[in-house]
Amino acid sequence: MSRLVAVFLVGAITLASAPAASAPVAADPNLFLEQVDGARALATVKQWNAKTVAALEKQPGFADYRARALALLSTNQKIAEPDQVLGNKVLNFWQDEQHPRGLWRVSPLADFASGRPQWRTLLDIDAMSKADSKKWVFKGATCLSPAYADCMVSLSNGGGDAVEVREFDLDKGSFVAGGFAIPNAKTDVSWAGPDAVFVGTDFGPGTLTDSGYPRIVKLWRRGTPLSAARMLAEGAKTDVSVNATSRVDGDRTWQFVTRGVDFYHRKVSHIAPDGRLVPTLLPDDADIVDVLDGRVIASLKTPWRGHPAGALVAYSIPDLLSGKAPAIEAVFLPNGHQAVEEVSASKSRLWAKILDDVSGRLIVLGRAADGSWSSTSIALPDKSTVHLNAAASNSDLAFATVEGMLTPPTLFRIEPSAPPTAIQALPAQFDASNMVVEQHFATSSDGTRIPYFLVHRKDVTGPVGVLMHAYGGFELAQTPTYLVHEPYRSGPLALFWVQEGNAYVLANIRGGGEYGPSWHNAVLRENRQKAYDDLYAVADDLVARNLTQKGRLAVSGRSNGGLMASVAITERPDLWGGAIIGSPLVDMKRYSHLLAGASWMGEYGNPDVPADWAFISKYSPYQKLRCGIRYPTPFIYTSTRDDRVHPGHARKLAAKLEHCGDPFYYDEAIEGGHAAGIVPEEDAQRVALETVYLNLVLPRQDQKARPRGERGL
């Protein structure tokens, strides 16, 4: 399955071996906080953590919020979605109260498709962690076709992106003694055949890019040491990464080498049977999303050969490899309200999840003998979020989960010629009879209509406190999901907030993929401010509707969204009463020198280039924050083991606020990686902290707000 999303890439560098920082332009008293495990840095973090816990755990309702959140997050009442459908097997990763770190398990496809899966545990991550005295986190597996018995399993100690990779026998349910094994790094691995794998990893000095990802990819044959692996391809040090992959197409496998020039441009070549590298016909910013019937299926980010941006196109791989000029086929052309978000091929069909004014739809596409493609819509519930989970390789069977903010998820079995069949349905986890979801559009400063979803109780009239979540980057669309299942939006926090008479807003600002590549491209680099203007337009629209008032909104965002939330409080401190800033980028002068930051210069620009810094500096929160301004009190969280967005960003924001005497709350998890949490207990703790925090900074109408100086550390 391929997802048409841009994400913070995974690299090949551990926290302990972060690239040396370049000399700062001016003295920064907080540089010590970039030493991830530095004694002074950790002592500062522990002090902030302790003060935050002491201040917030004593607030009314904290213990109840934590208990309720834990019950919702660790319940066994949830959908067992298919992570992969491999031949006649379905793989699933499952977490519950008894297994907080999770079970990796397998069921026969026929049993799963009937709604009666027969699970067999492959790995018990909790038991492994106890036996190894490590904090293992399961990071996925890639399995060898067509038997799908040999798998390369990735495990992280602590939850970061760096992983150990080990060969696993799916049928025996055990690791392979003497099998392939790759030591801890941000490794990219793919099967190259029964006894060979493609490996991109840290092979030693000079083998990583400036972004910390593999600069070279090698072919490693069974029975030989990793040091003897043969060079397959290499890129420049300034590239993002280089990798090789295999894609299954029925009984065939097509192999590719990808050289990532920057985050959005890549040089892709086919690996011919004789070992030649044959460049693809596609433009450098196109994404190969799958293969079907000997054809590459790709998504266009810019117009190409008469096909518009956002279109799905195809061409024949055998024709290209034989030296012919393949015809370019139009697979699907979205209209101005649509965007293709996920694509997956089954035996003879292509399945695509599209957004239509941010509501999910599922279509199935088929190819005629003359090269034309047709699409059929699948009759799933309207105005919902659709997740295309997986498609089978041996039949035209797919699985999709449908949910809404107030509608619990239902898993459907889908075939081209039959009505969808519900095979699992989650019972309601809260009473939504007195709640309503609305979609509205705000007008941004340049006239663009910005959609947003609003959920509140029916019996509540404004003005009320508003929690607004947004992201606005990397072509990642934000779609409305069940209020208790939003891991990137703090899980049950939104539910608790709405239940108590407030409002929750999901803002679809530009930078995401809600309307395809153009929605994302509109705010790249020097146009970044437009995303933030979109956010303020939604907030102003809520005030104009009398749903809320200035100072009674809290902005929420994580990762790139944490950057957005940090920008929001520094640019418009008058608008917000609070901000939940998760795993953020903050120091945009230094971001490209910290961990994977260099890979995101296609999104933000290069701060070491004066012309780029001229526009980045206009919004960079760390540089924009000034003493003497009444900023809203933020809740800042991150993880020590985040090896994607450096925890130094969050730390330095807190330190600068502290220097200015401005209040804040701070929560840094020791493990958890970029998600800042591994087990439900950790997530429930943060949900409770955030809920009582919101009650402090955004009081209800009948409560008197405490002076800002009395809130926070």
Side-chain angles (χ1 to χ4, degrees):
M1 175 177 172
S2 297
R3 294 180 181 271
L4 292 184
V5 295
V7 296
F8 280 163
L9 292 176
V10 177
I13 184 165
T14 66
L15 287 168
S17 59
S22 64
V25 173
D28 181 353
N30 299 316
L31 277 179
F32 75 94
L33 293 169
E34 294 180 7
Q35 299 300 313
V36 176
D37 293 312
R40 183 183 172 195
L42 289 179
T44 302
V45 165
K46 290 177 181 178
Q47 180 186 47
W48 290 338
N49 279 353
K51 287 184 177 180
T52 293
V53 169
L56 294 182
E57 284 193 346
K58 69 181 181 183
Q59 296 302 316
F62 175 85
D64 180 61
Y65 289 131
R66 182 171 56 189
R68 289 166 58 198
L70 182 59
L72 290 168
L73 292 169
S74 59
T75 179
N76 293 348
Q77 290 188 325
K78 55 186 177 182
I79 299 291
E81 295 179 334
D83 299 325
Q84 295 173 284
V85 179
L86 304 176
N88 61 359
K89 305 180 181 77
V90 172
L91 296 177
N92 165 262
F93 184 70
W94 177 264
Q95 293 173 284
D96 58 28
E97 186 176 6
Q98 290 74 39
H99 308 93
R101 291 187 178 271
L103 300 173
W104 186 44
R105 56 190 191 171
V106 62
S107 169
L109 174 59
D111 294 325
F112 184 89
S114 70
R116 297 182 297 274
Q118 302 297 314
W119 297 113
R120 173 171 60 91
T121 296
L122 299 168
L123 286 176
D124 183 330
I125 306 301
D126 296 88
M128 276 189 63
S129 297
K130 183 177 181 180
D132 298 343
S133 298
K134 293 187 176 182
K135 297 179 179 180
W136 289 123
V137 177
F138 181 73
K139 289 286 187 172
T142 178
C143 302
L144 176 65
S145 68
Y148 298 108
D150 290 329
C151 301
M152 297 296 286
V153 172
S154 297
L155 296 164
S156 167
N157 183 16
D161 289 335
V163 295
E164 293 184 21
V165 183
R166 307 176 190 173
E167 187 176 358
F168 188 89
D169 188 315
L170 208 65
D171 292 338
K172 295 180 180 178
S174 61
F175 289 106
V176 177
F180 289 113
I182 305 169
N184 189 67
K186 290 183 180 177
T187 296
D188 185 274
V189 62
S190 183
W191 287 97
D195 295 305
V197 290
F198 297 127
V199 179
T201 191
D202 185 351
F203 288 106
T207 64
L208 302 179
T209 67
D210 291 339
S211 300
Y213 302 136
R215 188 183 64 80
I216 63 175
V217 61
K218 296 185 178 184
L219 178 66
W220 183 21
R221 297 196 180 279
R222 190 182 299 280
T224 65
L226 181 58
S227 59
R230 178 177 63 83
M231 176 79 75
L232 181 66
E234 64 181 314
K237 191 171 183 291
T238 55
D239 289 344
V240 172
S241 66
V242 178
N243 65 64
T245 57
S246 295
R247 291 181 178 270
V248 177
D249 177 21
D251 57 359
R252 294 178 291 186
T253 299
W254 305 104
Q255 298 174 338
F256 302 83
V257 167
T258 301
R259 174 190 162 206
V261 179
D262 62 32
F263 202 88
Y264 300 112
H265 296 83
R266 59 203 62 82
K267 304 288 186 182
V268 181
S269 296
H270 297 269
I271 305 176
D274 60 5
R276 289 177 300 123
L277 297 184
V278 181
T280 177
L281 296 177
L282 298 167
D284 290 352
D285 61 352
D287 286 335
I288 294 177
V289 297
D290 218 325
V291 292
L292 177 65
D293 192 25
R295 284 167 174 76
V296 158
I297 311 296
S299 169
L300 300 180
K301 303 305 177 186
T302 51
W304 180 64
R305 294 194 182 184
H307 302 291
L312 292 179
V313 298
Y315 68 80
S316 167
I317 301 174
D319 282 354
L320 180 67
L321 296 183
S322 66
K324 297 179 182 178
I328 306 300
E329 302 169 358
V331 179
F332 179 76
L333 306 178
N335 63 35
H337 294 270
Q338 296 175 332
V340 180
E341 193 176 33
E342 297 172 347
V343 174
S344 187
S346 57
K347 182 179 181 180
S348 65
R349 294 289 190 274
L350 194 68
W351 302 85
K353 177 267 185 85
I354 65 173
L355 298 178
D356 199 329
D357 276 333
V358 201
S359 291
R361 288 177 50 203
L362 185 65
I363 60 174
V364 59
L365 299 123
R367 183 181 182 275
D370 63 0
S372 63
W373 291 75
S374 60
S375 66
T376 302
S377 292
I378 304 299
L380 293 172
D382 194 20
K383 299 188 185 306
S384 300
T385 289
V386 176
H387 306 281
L388 178 54
N389 303 120
S393 58
N394 296 342
S395 64
D396 286 322
L397 175 66
F399 298 93
T401 302
V402 180
E403 64 181 316
M405 282 180 158
L406 306 181
T407 308
T410 297
L411 176 65
F412 289 89
R413 182 185 75 235
I414 305 169
E415 298 171 273
S417 57
T421 301
I423 58 173
Q424 293 183 54
L426 185 70
Q429 294 184 274
F430 60 90
D431 182 3
S433 61
N434 192 34
M435 297 180 186
V436 62
V437 177
E438 304 166 0
Q439 186 182 35
H440 298 286
F441 290 81
T443 302
S444 194
S445 57
D446 63 359
T448 303
R449 295 176 75 238
I450 309 301
Y452 66 91
F453 292 90
L454 165 67
V455 57
H456 60 88
R457 277 186 2 205
K458 296 176 183 177
D459 62 344
V460 170
T461 58
V464 300
V466 169
L467 172 63
M468 182 192 303
H469 183 89
Y471 183 77
F474 294 89
E475 207 176 341
L476 282 171
Q478 301 294 289
T479 56
T481 54
Y482 199 44
L483 286 185
V484 298
H485 293 155
E486 297 196 318
Y488 287 96
R489 300 193 278 270
S490 295
L493 172 64
L495 171 63
F496 298 165
W497 190 242
V498 171
Q499 284 177 327
E500 295 182 2
N502 304 290
Y504 175 68
V505 170
L506 179 62
N508 302 114
I509 65 177
R510 282 174 288 183
E514 285 84 348
Y515 290 98
S518 63
W519 200 248
H520 172 234
N521 294 338
V523 302
L524 288 177
R525 292 172 48 83
E526 63 270 18
N527 294 314
R528 201 83 203 162
Q529 187 62 43
K530 292 181 180 180
Y532 310 135
D533 291 344
D534 293 353
L535 182 78
Y536 310 147
V538 173
D540 289 338
D541 194 63
L542 293 166
V543 173
R545 292 176 182 273
N546 198 38
L547 183 78
T548 191
Q549 299 164 319
K550 286 187 177 181
R552 298 191 66 190
L553 300 99
V555 61
S556 165
R558 196 183 72 84
S559 194
N560 170 76
L563 168 62
M564 172 215 66
S566 302
V567 170
I569 64 171
T570 54
E571 288 191 343
R572 291 290 304 275
D574 63 303
L575 191 55
W576 313 100
I580 297 176
I581 301 173
S583 305
L585 286 89
V586 175
D587 184 352
M588 297 303 288
K589 182 62 179 174
R590 298 268 304 134
Y591 88 91
S592 57
H593 298 284
L594 299 173
L595 295 177
S599 67
W600 311 322
M601 290 191 290
E603 181 84 8
Y604 305 117
N606 183 350
D608 294 335
V609 175
D612 286 11
W613 178 241
F615 57 77
I616 298 172
S617 64
K618 292 180 179 179
Y619 67 81
S620 180
Y622 188 61
Q623 284 73 30
K624 294 290 288 185
L625 195 147
R626 297 286 184 269
C627 295
I629 297 177
R630 288 173 56 85
Y631 294 108
T633 302
F635 182 98
I636 306 164
Y637 71 88
T638 186
S639 167
T640 307
R641 298 273 74 82
D642 189 342
D643 51 0
R644 197 179 309 181
V645 176
H646 199 293
H649 285 282
R651 295 172 177 182
K652 291 167 73 174
L653 175 61
K656 196 161 187 179
L657 287 167
E658 185 175 59
H659 169 74
C660 292
D662 291 316
F664 63 92
Y665 296 97
Y666 190 87
D667 180 35
E668 182 170 319
I670 300 303
E671 63 172 329
H674 193 48
I678 292 298
V679 296
E681 287 82 0
E682 295 170 346
D683 292 329
Q685 170 77 4
R686 193 172 73 244
V687 167
L689 292 173
E690 291 173 351
T691 306
V692 296
Y693 156 78
L694 288 177
N695 287 336
L696 276 175
V697 299
L698 300 182
R700 297 168 60 119
Q701 280 183 293
D702 56 354
Q703 295 175 317
K704 183 179 179 180
R706 294 166 60 187
R708 288 188 179 182
E710 297 179 20
R711 302 196 299 265
L713 305 186

PDB file of all heavy atoms in Angstrom, residues 293 295 313-315 327-332 366-374:
ATOM      1  N   ASP A 293      -0.099  -4.456 -13.145  1.00  0.00           N
ATOM      2  CA  ASP A 293      -0.095  -5.008 -14.497  1.00  0.00           C
ATOM      3  C   ASP A 293       1.077  -4.477 -15.321  1.00  0.00           C
ATOM      4  O   ASP A 293       0.936  -4.098 -16.479  1.00  0.00           O
ATOM      5  CB  ASP A 293      -1.416  -4.678 -15.200  1.00  0.00           C
ATOM      6  CG  ASP A 293      -1.599  -5.457 -16.501  1.00  0.00           C
ATOM      7  OD1 ASP A 293      -1.007  -6.541 -16.629  1.00  0.00           O
ATOM      8  OD2 ASP A 293      -2.322  -4.958 -17.385  1.00  0.00           O
ATOM      9  N   ARG A 295       2.733  -1.748 -14.892  1.00  0.00           N
ATOM     10  CA  ARG A 295       2.715  -0.296 -15.075  1.00  0.00           C
ATOM     11  C   ARG A 295       3.050   0.434 -13.785  1.00  0.00           C
ATOM     12  O   ARG A 295       2.565   0.055 -12.713  1.00  0.00           O
ATOM     13  CB  ARG A 295       1.345   0.165 -15.582  1.00  0.00           C
ATOM     14  CG  ARG A 295       1.139  -0.139 -17.035  1.00  0.00           C
ATOM     15  CD  ARG A 295      -0.288   0.020 -17.507  1.00  0.00           C
ATOM     16  NE  ARG A 295      -0.334  -0.164 -18.941  1.00  0.00           N
ATOM     17  CZ  ARG A 295      -0.267  -1.357 -19.548  1.00  0.00           C
ATOM     18  NH1 ARG A 295      -0.199  -2.464 -18.813  1.00  0.00           N
ATOM     19  NH2 ARG A 295      -0.277  -1.439 -20.868  1.00  0.00           N
ATOM     20  N   VAL A 313      -1.177   9.031 -13.166  1.00  0.00           N
ATOM     21  CA  VAL A 313      -0.810   8.625 -14.521  1.00  0.00           C
ATOM     22  C   VAL A 313      -0.106   7.275 -14.454  1.00  0.00           C
ATOM     23  O   VAL A 313       0.286   6.812 -13.375  1.00  0.00           O
ATOM     24  CB  VAL A 313       0.099   9.672 -15.198  1.00  0.00           C
ATOM     25  CG1 VAL A 313      -0.627  11.003 -15.345  1.00  0.00           C
ATOM     26  CG2 VAL A 313       1.401   9.854 -14.416  1.00  0.00           C
ATOM     27  N   ALA A 314       0.054   6.644 -15.626  1.00  0.00           N
ATOM     28  CA  ALA A 314       0.696   5.323 -15.680  1.00  0.00           C
ATOM     29  C   ALA A 314       1.494   5.181 -16.966  1.00  0.00           C
ATOM     30  O   ALA A 314       1.205   5.851 -17.970  1.00  0.00           O
ATOM     31  CB  ALA A 314      -0.355   4.222 -15.579  1.00  0.00           C
ATOM     32  N   TYR A 315       2.500   4.293 -16.930  1.00  0.00           N
ATOM     33  CA  TYR A 315       3.202   3.908 -18.154  1.00  0.00           C
ATOM     34  C   TYR A 315       3.719   2.487 -17.997  1.00  0.00           C
ATOM     35  O   TYR A 315       3.858   1.970 -16.881  1.00  0.00           O
ATOM     36  CB  TYR A 315       4.340   4.875 -18.507  1.00  0.00           C
ATOM     37  CG  TYR A 315       5.523   4.866 -17.573  1.00  0.00           C
ATOM     38  CD1 TYR A 315       6.515   3.880 -17.665  1.00  0.00           C
ATOM     39  CD2 TYR A 315       5.694   5.871 -16.620  1.00  0.00           C
ATOM     40  CE1 TYR A 315       7.620   3.882 -16.819  1.00  0.00           C
ATOM     41  CE2 TYR A 315       6.791   5.882 -15.775  1.00  0.00           C
ATOM     42  CZ  TYR A 315       7.751   4.880 -15.878  1.00  0.00           C
ATOM     43  OH  TYR A 315       8.836   4.887 -15.037  1.00  0.00           O
ATOM     44  N   ALA A 327       3.491   4.965 -23.805  1.00  0.00           N
ATOM     45  CA  ALA A 327       2.409   5.953 -23.772  1.00  0.00           C
ATOM     46  C   ALA A 327       2.132   6.322 -22.321  1.00  0.00           C
ATOM     47  O   ALA A 327       2.221   5.482 -21.420  1.00  0.00           O
ATOM     48  CB  ALA A 327       1.158   5.377 -24.426  1.00  0.00           C
ATOM     49  N   ILE A 328       1.798   7.587 -22.086  1.00  0.00           N
ATOM     50  CA  ILE A 328       1.435   8.046 -20.749  1.00  0.00           C
ATOM     51  C   ILE A 328      -0.087   8.007 -20.639  1.00  0.00           C
ATOM     52  O   ILE A 328      -0.796   8.682 -21.395  1.00  0.00           O
ATOM     53  CB  ILE A 328       1.956   9.470 -20.475  1.00  0.00           C
ATOM     54  CG1 ILE A 328       3.463   9.541 -20.739  1.00  0.00           C
ATOM     55  CG2 ILE A 328       1.622   9.873 -19.045  1.00  0.00           C
ATOM     56  CD1 ILE A 328       4.287   8.610 -19.900  1.00  0.00           C
ATOM     57  N   GLU A 329      -0.587   7.190 -19.715  1.00  0.00           N
ATOM     58  CA  GLU A 329      -2.027   6.990 -19.562  1.00  0.00           C
ATOM     59  C   GLU A 329      -2.568   7.822 -18.405  1.00  0.00           C
ATOM     60  O   GLU A 329      -1.937   7.919 -17.345  1.00  0.00           O
ATOM     61  CB  GLU A 329      -2.324   5.512 -19.305  1.00  0.00           C
ATOM     62  CG  GLU A 329      -1.816   4.597 -20.414  1.00  0.00           C
ATOM     63  CD  GLU A 329      -1.875   3.125 -20.047  1.00  0.00           C
ATOM     64  OE1 GLU A 329      -2.286   2.811 -18.915  1.00  0.00           O
ATOM     65  OE2 GLU A 329      -1.502   2.290 -20.891  1.00  0.00           O
ATOM     66  N   ALA A 330      -3.736   8.425 -18.617  1.00  0.00           N
ATOM     67  CA  ALA A 330      -4.414   9.168 -17.552  1.00  0.00           C
ATOM     68  C   ALA A 330      -5.247   8.192 -16.738  1.00  0.00           C
ATOM     69  O   ALA A 330      -6.220   7.620 -17.236  1.00  0.00           O
ATOM     70  CB  ALA A 330      -5.298  10.258 -18.144  1.00  0.00           C
ATOM     71  N   VAL A 331      -4.880   7.982 -15.495  1.00  0.00           N
ATOM     72  CA  VAL A 331      -5.577   7.033 -14.635  1.00  0.00           C
ATOM     73  C   VAL A 331      -6.751   7.704 -13.925  1.00  0.00           C
ATOM     74  O   VAL A 331      -7.867   7.191 -13.906  1.00  0.00           O
ATOM     75  CB  VAL A 331      -4.600   6.432 -13.605  1.00  0.00           C
ATOM     76  CG1 VAL A 331      -5.326   5.455 -12.677  1.00  0.00           C
ATOM     77  CG2 VAL A 331      -3.450   5.727 -14.315  1.00  0.00           C
ATOM     78  N   PHE A 332      -6.513   8.888 -13.339  1.00  0.00           N
ATOM     79  CA  PHE A 332      -7.579   9.631 -12.651  1.00  0.00           C
ATOM     80  C   PHE A 332      -7.204  11.103 -12.614  1.00  0.00           C
ATOM     81  O   PHE A 332      -6.069  11.457 -12.285  1.00  0.00           O
ATOM     82  CB  PHE A 332      -7.778   9.116 -11.222  1.00  0.00           C
ATOM     83  CG  PHE A 332      -8.857   9.854 -10.464  1.00  0.00           C
ATOM     84  CD1 PHE A 332     -10.194   9.612 -10.728  1.00  0.00           C
ATOM     85  CD2 PHE A 332      -8.527  10.798  -9.505  1.00  0.00           C
ATOM     86  CE1 PHE A 332     -11.197  10.298 -10.052  1.00  0.00           C
ATOM     87  CE2 PHE A 332      -9.510  11.485  -8.811  1.00  0.00           C
ATOM     88  CZ  PHE A 332     -10.852  11.232  -9.092  1.00  0.00           C
ATOM     89  N   GLY A 366     -10.142   0.714 -13.019  1.00  0.00           N
ATOM     90  CA  GLY A 366      -9.780  -0.422 -13.852  1.00  0.00           C
ATOM     91  C   GLY A 366      -9.315   0.048 -15.217  1.00  0.00           C
ATOM     92  O   GLY A 366      -9.712   1.113 -15.697  1.00  0.00           O
ATOM     93  N   ARG A 367      -8.478  -0.749 -15.858  1.00  0.00           N
ATOM     94  CA  ARG A 367      -7.907  -0.398 -17.157  1.00  0.00           C
ATOM     95  C   ARG A 367      -8.487  -1.273 -18.245  1.00  0.00           C
ATOM     96  O   ARG A 367      -8.559  -2.496 -18.107  1.00  0.00           O
ATOM     97  CB  ARG A 367      -6.381  -0.554 -17.113  1.00  0.00           C
ATOM     98  CG  ARG A 367      -5.656  -0.147 -18.386  1.00  0.00           C
ATOM     99  CD  ARG A 367      -4.151  -0.354 -18.243  1.00  0.00           C
ATOM    100  NE  ARG A 367      -3.437   0.077 -19.434  1.00  0.00           N
ATOM    101  CZ  ARG A 367      -3.244  -0.683 -20.522  1.00  0.00           C
ATOM    102  NH1 ARG A 367      -3.719  -1.935 -20.533  1.00  0.00           N
ATOM    103  NH2 ARG A 367      -2.591  -0.217 -21.568  1.00  0.00           N
ATOM    104  N   ALA A 368      -8.889  -0.647 -19.338  1.00  0.00           N
ATOM    105  CA  ALA A 368      -9.404  -1.371 -20.503  1.00  0.00           C
ATOM    106  C   ALA A 368      -8.250  -1.732 -21.431  1.00  0.00           C
ATOM    107  O   ALA A 368      -7.126  -1.223 -21.293  1.00  0.00           O
ATOM    108  CB  ALA A 368     -10.439  -0.524 -21.240  1.00  0.00           C
ATOM    109  N   ALA A 369      -8.522  -2.588 -22.398  1.00  0.00           N
ATOM    110  CA  ALA A 369      -7.479  -3.054 -23.309  1.00  0.00           C
ATOM    111  C   ALA A 369      -6.887  -1.924 -24.139  1.00  0.00           C
ATOM    112  O   ALA A 369      -5.726  -2.003 -24.573  1.00  0.00           O
ATOM    113  CB  ALA A 369      -8.043  -4.136 -24.231  1.00  0.00           C
ATOM    114  N   ASP A 370      -7.679  -0.863 -24.384  1.00  0.00           N
ATOM    115  CA  ASP A 370      -7.171   0.243 -25.192  1.00  0.00           C
ATOM    116  C   ASP A 370      -6.341   1.248 -24.387  1.00  0.00           C
ATOM    117  O   ASP A 370      -5.929   2.290 -24.909  1.00  0.00           O
ATOM    118  CB  ASP A 370      -8.326   0.977 -25.880  1.00  0.00           C
ATOM    119  CG  ASP A 370      -9.290   1.620 -24.888  1.00  0.00           C
ATOM    120  OD1 ASP A 370      -9.071   1.494 -23.659  1.00  0.00           O
ATOM    121  OD2 ASP A 370     -10.270   2.247 -25.338  1.00  0.00           O
ATOM    122  N   GLY A 371      -6.100   0.950 -23.099  1.00  0.00           N
ATOM    123  CA  GLY A 371      -5.291   1.839 -22.281  1.00  0.00           C
ATOM    124  C   GLY A 371      -6.068   2.905 -21.541  1.00  0.00           C
ATOM    125  O   GLY A 371      -5.472   3.705 -20.808  1.00  0.00           O
ATOM    126  N   SER A 372      -7.391   2.916 -21.695  1.00  0.00           N
ATOM    127  CA  SER A 372      -8.192   3.900 -20.965  1.00  0.00           C
ATOM    128  C   SER A 372      -8.546   3.361 -19.582  1.00  0.00           C
ATOM    129  O   SER A 372      -8.638   2.150 -19.379  1.00  0.00           O
ATOM    130  CB  SER A 372      -9.474   4.222 -21.739  1.00  0.00           C
ATOM    131  OG  SER A 372     -10.280   3.066 -21.866  1.00  0.00           O
ATOM    132  N   TRP A 373      -8.739   4.281 -18.652  1.00  0.00           N
ATOM    133  CA  TRP A 373      -9.061   3.922 -17.276  1.00  0.00           C
ATOM    134  C   TRP A 373     -10.432   4.465 -16.910  1.00  0.00           C
ATOM    135  O   TRP A 373     -10.804   5.575 -17.314  1.00  0.00           O
ATOM    136  CB  TRP A 373      -8.024   4.496 -16.306  1.00  0.00           C
ATOM    137  CG  TRP A 373      -6.676   3.862 -16.411  1.00  0.00           C
ATOM    138  CD1 TRP A 373      -5.739   4.047 -17.396  1.00  0.00           C
ATOM    139  CD2 TRP A 373      -6.091   2.937 -15.493  1.00  0.00           C
ATOM    140  NE1 TRP A 373      -4.612   3.310 -17.162  1.00  0.00           N
ATOM    141  CE2 TRP A 373      -4.797   2.617 -15.983  1.00  0.00           C
ATOM    142  CE3 TRP A 373      -6.509   2.353 -14.310  1.00  0.00           C
ATOM    143  CZ2 TRP A 373      -3.941   1.738 -15.332  1.00  0.00           C
ATOM    144  CZ3 TRP A 373      -5.657   1.487 -13.655  1.00  0.00           C
ATOM    145  CH2 TRP A 373      -4.392   1.175 -14.161  1.00  0.00           C
ATOM    146  N   SER A 374     -11.175   3.693 -16.133  1.00  0.00           N
ATOM    147  CA  SER A 374     -12.484   4.135 -15.657  1.00  0.00           C
ATOM    148  C   SER A 374     -12.539   3.969 -14.143  1.00  0.00           C
ATOM    149  O   SER A 374     -11.824   3.149 -13.569  1.00  0.00           O
ATOM    150  CB  SER A 374     -13.612   3.328 -16.302  1.00  0.00           C
ATOM    151  OG  SER A 374     -13.476   1.946 -16.007  1.00  0.00           O
TER     152      SER A 374
END
